[in-house]
Amino acid sequence: MKRTYLQRDKKKGTYATLLRMTSEVGEMLDAVLRNDLPQIHAEAADVLAWLCSACNLLSVDLEKAFLNKYGNGCPRCCQVPCACKGP
Ligand SMILES: [Zn+2]
């Protein structure tokens, strides 16, 4: 994503990039509500792409941040699968 879009994303800016990501989340929800499986896949990819773009602008290593928090299972109970109470 950095090689493909970083220059364009810098022009767009962090706030607009995050706003676009939230818009893609809404589009994914619409696809889920329509049970449109191909579109669900497409929108999931878009959500991740815009999150990657935002992280690039914020100098966040997304893989490292994700693994740091979730790499050993649930960050609250430290179990795999999660053993926390509730849904
Ligand atoms: Zn848990």
Side-chain angles (χ1 to χ4, degrees):
M1 296 307 295
K2 191 178 285 184
R3 283 187 291 127
T4 304
Y5 292 119
L6 183 60
Q7 294 311 312
R8 190 202 65 181
D9 290 338
K10 281 182 177 176
K11 290 178 186 164
K12 183 180 287 288
T14 304
Y15 297 133
T17 298
L18 283 168
L19 185 60
R20 182 63 190 268
M21 185 194 73
T22 61
S23 152
E24 296 294 344
V25 171
E27 291 177 16
M28 184 174 174
L29 177 58
D30 286 343
V32 169
L33 292 173
R34 292 191 318 272
N35 200 25
D36 182 343
L37 196 54
Q39 197 61 33
I40 291 169
H41 284 132
E43 298 302 341
D46 287 344
V47 170
L48 181 59
W50 285 104
L51 176 61
C52 289
S53 286
C55 287
N56 287 335
L57 292 173
L58 293 163
S59 298
V60 171
D61 183 330
L62 181 57
E63 181 180 11
K64 188 174 180 180
F66 182 83
L67 290 174
N68 186 49
K69 186 161 186 178
Y70 294 100
N72 292 316
C74 174
R76 285 197 303 167
C77 69
C78 301
Q79 299 293 312
V80 179
C82 170
C84 295
K85 292 181 179 175

